[in-house]
Amino acid sequence: MMGITRYTRILALFDEEHPAWTVADISAALDTSASTLYRLIREMVAADFLESTVESRYRLGPFFVEYYRRLRLTDPLVLSGAKFLRPLLGQIPCPCTTILARLYGKTVMCVAEERANTASFATSYELGRPMPLLRGATSMAVLSTLPKRQIMKLVSEASDAPKDADTLYAEFTGIRKIGISETHGQVDPGLVGIAAPVRSTDLGINASLSVIIEQHNLTTEIRPHIYAALSSTARMIEGFMAELSVPGAHIP
Amino acid sequence: MMGITRYTRILALFDEEHPAWTVADISAALDTSASTLYRLIREMVAADFLESTVESRYRLGPFFVEYYRRLRLTDPLVLSGAKFLRPLLGQIPCPCTTILARLYGKTVMCVAEERANTASFATSYELGRPMPLLRGATSMAVLSTLPKRQIMKLVSEASDAPKDADTLYAEFTGIRKIGISETHGQVDPGLVGIAAPVRSTDLGINASLSVIIEQHNLTTEIRPHIYAALSSTARMIEGFMAELSVPGAHIP
DNA sequence: CTTATTTTATCGTTATTTGATAAAATATTA
DNA sequence: TAATATTTTATCAAATAACGATAAAATAAG
């Protein structure tokens, strides 16, 4: 075993279905000796990546809460975009959720969200949850910001491509042209996602800003409102990111 | 250099004041060769701990958003307590913020929070921000859940102890007795913190549930309401945690 | 108190990390 | 575009740390 993966493959075991692990189970899952694992786990507990709990089990530690905050305070996308999510909520005349999402490996992940008090429905795009690349307006808008070569690569590697690569690429061209992606029930039945691409080639950021509403609320009157609110907010976020990338704005 | 600290001491450099680092600056800060750092950083980028950005700088990566979600979905305190923060908001008849906090090394850290739309004031107890152990109701209530030996150790190691150890310990005894800690302006001027201890000796959890309000809103009429709401909610959270710790409730 | 389980310590072998240096890739400037 | 500077990767021998089997210690369970 080598490098950082010694630690990350242990972390990767901890999820909603497996919140707490014994050393014996980790040993079986990773085919690694208990002696080595006790040493690694002791290190990870000292670093607050893990902590020990009942029944000789270990769970994730509070380190990740601290570094989630550090990311919120340093990441140019979150820094520029999160503050617009609540105002955007106010511009949408029906119960909705607003989402800032970005490319994350071979997935798209929400990195900030706001939910109207009136929104009773649940969305799959939760903060921090990796989602499929090729389904839903949020993902499609993110993909549309990428160079063609990278899109084709991601599409070809995707196991769940709903259409062939060229058809998909035509869709991305359309999204780039009108600046909006709209999909119906591709992620959650009964819900509609409407998203605007957000990008900063300078900072290497490929992201999107989305509004999720219930399908029956999407009338021909409110659609233009939503499109306009998304487009203008996306442009403002890009403006703030551009400011962050001016030389000398960093204080290292 | 050894073990996981090779990586964590790099991560520790990234904060609000230093959002992006060059390899040269990291090399100077950690007194480590650039050749080694390029190798470590490459690993950390591959693991999404870091990502590269403009001007040959690196910043924190989105890994921490994903693992913050995993923690939310697996941590017994967050799992049991976060859902009560919004209902608790509703029980407080003035603008307020509700906070779930826990011991984090030699600090206390908020791991979940809710803010009333009407609350215009800013609180220092942000989600994920390590705070001093001996100031503010939130911290005092957490400390009060610990065994005497551990309290004395933490107090003796604290650099900012406002009072001597025995006086402080008497305060913790008082908090344990009435189940509430109330402090005025110890963290933020003009604000009041009111907190109830939250603990599970089974799960090894030492935490607190707090309400932060503006000092001028704390009347003799609403104080009993707040005390009662906090106490009953804290008890419910402890009840949910107890359910999580019954043998066989885990599915490893 | 006894026994079983979990965790830490020890240690030789094996494999990896380190940092100096060189090479390659990328960005900057003329 | 070419030339130069900067950033990043590759190479390699020496130093170091990780591995896992085993034993010892600490803790939990009966």
Side-chain angles (χ1 to χ4, degrees):
Chain A
M1 212 52 43
M2 62 186 264
I4 207 172
T5 55
R6 268 182 300 164
Y7 306 103
T8 52
R9 68 195 198 118
I10 295 176
L11 289 179
L13 296 173
F14 293 82
D15 59 21
E16 189 171 6
E17 286 78 38
H18 311 275
W21 285 76
T22 64
V23 172
D25 287 337
I26 296 176
S27 177
L30 300 182
D31 191 31
T32 302
S33 78
S35 139
T36 294
L37 286 172
Y38 272 113
R39 197 165 354 91
L40 293 176
I41 288 169
R42 181 150 25 99
E43 282 187 72
M44 293 170 83
V45 169
D48 292 306
F49 281 45
L50 297 179
E51 62 187 1
S52 80
T53 178
V54 282
E55 294 172 44
S56 27
R57 291 180 136 80
Y58 294 86
R59 55 172 136 86
L60 292 176
F63 176 92
F64 301 106
V65 185
E66 183 184 355
Y67 274 77
Y68 167 60
R69 174 174 181 266
R70 292 193 186 213
L71 186 117
R72 289 199 322 267
L73 297 175
T74 60
D75 185 80
L77 176 63
V78 179
L79 222 45
S80 305
K83 56 173 171 274
F84 290 109
L85 294 182
R86 195 167 272 277
L88 180 58
L89 270 188
Q91 294 180 53
I92 312 299
C94 65
C96 78
T97 296
T98 53
I99 284 174
L100 197 60
R102 54 161 285 169
L103 190 63
Y104 179 46
K106 294 182 180 180
T107 70
V108 165
M109 187 169 74
C110 166
V111 293
E113 72 175 341
E114 289 286 347
R115 174 180 303 266
N117 295 333
T118 53
S120 55
F121 57 86
T123 60
S124 293
Y125 270 95
E126 293 166 51
L127 178 64
R129 181 175 182 190
M131 296 293 287
L133 267 180
L134 302 174
R135 290 185 193 280
T138 300
S139 291
M140 295 296 278
V142 171
L143 264 272
S144 78
T145 67
L146 296 171
K148 179 166 188 178
R149 195 190 332 188
Q150 198 176 346
I151 293 180
M152 298 310 261
K153 184 155 177 276
L154 287 168
V155 169
S156 71
E157 288 167 350
S159 54
D160 63 335
K163 304 159 191 171
D164 72 281
D166 291 329
T167 310
L168 276 167
Y169 190 73
E171 285 189 42
F172 295 127
T173 306
I175 295 169
R176 252 200 310 275
K177 207 160 281 172
I178 67 168
I180 289 284
S181 171
E182 178 181 324
T183 65
H184 293 219
Q186 284 193 7
V187 179
D188 295 301
L191 298 186
V192 171
I194 309 176
V198 171
R199 113 195 55 191
S200 162
T201 42
D202 265 12
L203 290 165
I205 282 170
N206 302 94
S208 75
L209 175 71
S210 319
V211 163
I212 315 288
I213 62 175
E214 288 166 289
Q215 197 152 0
H216 62 80
N217 282 321
L218 183 63
T219 62
T220 47
E221 291 116 58
I222 99 170
R223 178 180 280 115
H225 281 292
I226 297 180
Y227 279 31
L230 275 173
S231 297
S232 68
T233 307
R235 217 149 287 142
M236 282 198 285
I237 295 173
E238 289 176 343
F240 272 85
M241 286 199 292
E243 277 188 39
L244 289 177
S245 68
V246 297
H250 301 278
I251 311 113
Chain B
M1 212 53 40
M2 62 186 264
I4 206 171
T5 55
R6 270 182 299 162
Y7 306 104
T8 53
R9 69 194 197 118
I10 295 175
L11 289 179
L13 296 173
F14 293 81
D15 58 21
E16 189 171 5
E17 286 78 38
H18 311 275
W21 286 75
T22 64
V23 172
D25 287 337
I26 296 176
S27 177
L30 301 181
D31 192 30
T32 302
S33 79
S35 137
T36 294
L37 287 172
Y38 272 112
R39 201 165 348 90
L40 292 177
I41 289 169
R42 182 151 23 102
E43 283 186 71
M44 294 170 82
V45 168
D48 291 308
F49 280 46
L50 296 179
E51 60 187 4
S52 80
T53 178
V54 283
E55 295 174 41
S56 29
R57 291 179 136 82
Y58 293 85
R59 55 169 135 89
L60 292 177
F63 176 90
F64 300 106
V65 184
E66 182 183 355
Y67 275 78
Y68 167 62
R69 174 173 181 265
R70 291 193 185 214
L71 185 117
R72 289 198 324 265
L73 297 175
T74 59
D75 184 80
L77 177 62
V78 179
L79 222 44
S80 305
K83 57 172 171 274
F84 290 109
L85 294 182
R86 196 169 273 276
L88 180 58
L89 269 188
Q91 294 179 53
I92 311 299
C94 64
C96 77
T97 297
T98 54
I99 284 174
L100 197 60
R102 55 160 285 170
L103 190 64
Y104 180 45
K106 294 182 180 179
T107 70
V108 166
M109 187 170 74
C110 167
V111 293
E113 71 175 342
E114 288 286 348
R115 175 180 303 266
N117 295 333
T118 53
S120 55
F121 56 86
T123 61
S124 294
Y125 270 95
E126 292 167 52
L127 177 65
R129 180 176 181 188
M131 295 292 287
L133 267 179
L134 303 174
R135 292 184 192 280
T138 300
S139 291
M140 295 296 277
V142 171
L143 264 272
S144 78
T145 67
L146 296 171
K148 178 166 187 177
R149 197 189 331 188
Q150 199 176 346
I151 293 180
M152 298 310 260
K153 183 155 177 276
L154 286 168
V155 169
S156 72
E157 288 167 348
S159 54
D160 64 335
K163 304 160 190 168
D164 72 283
D166 291 329
T167 309
L168 275 167
Y169 190 74
E171 285 188 42
F172 295 128
T173 307
I175 294 170
R176 253 200 309 276
K177 206 160 282 171
I178 67 169
I180 288 284
S181 171
E182 178 181 322
T183 64
H184 293 220
Q186 284 193 7
V187 179
D188 295 301
L191 299 185
V192 171
I194 309 176
V198 171
R199 110 194 59 190
S200 162
T201 42
D202 266 11
L203 291 166
I205 281 169
N206 302 94
S208 74
L209 176 71
S210 320
V211 163
I212 315 289
I213 63 174
E214 288 167 290
Q215 197 152 0
H216 62 79
N217 281 323
L218 183 63
T219 63
T220 48
E221 291 116 58
I222 96 170
R223 178 181 279 115
H225 281 293
I226 297 179
Y227 278 31
L230 275 173
S231 297
S232 67
T233 307
R235 216 151 288 141
M236 281 197 286
I237 294 173
E238 288 175 345
F240 271 84
M241 286 199 293
E243 276 188 39
L244 289 178
S245 68
V246 298
H250 302 278
I251 311 111

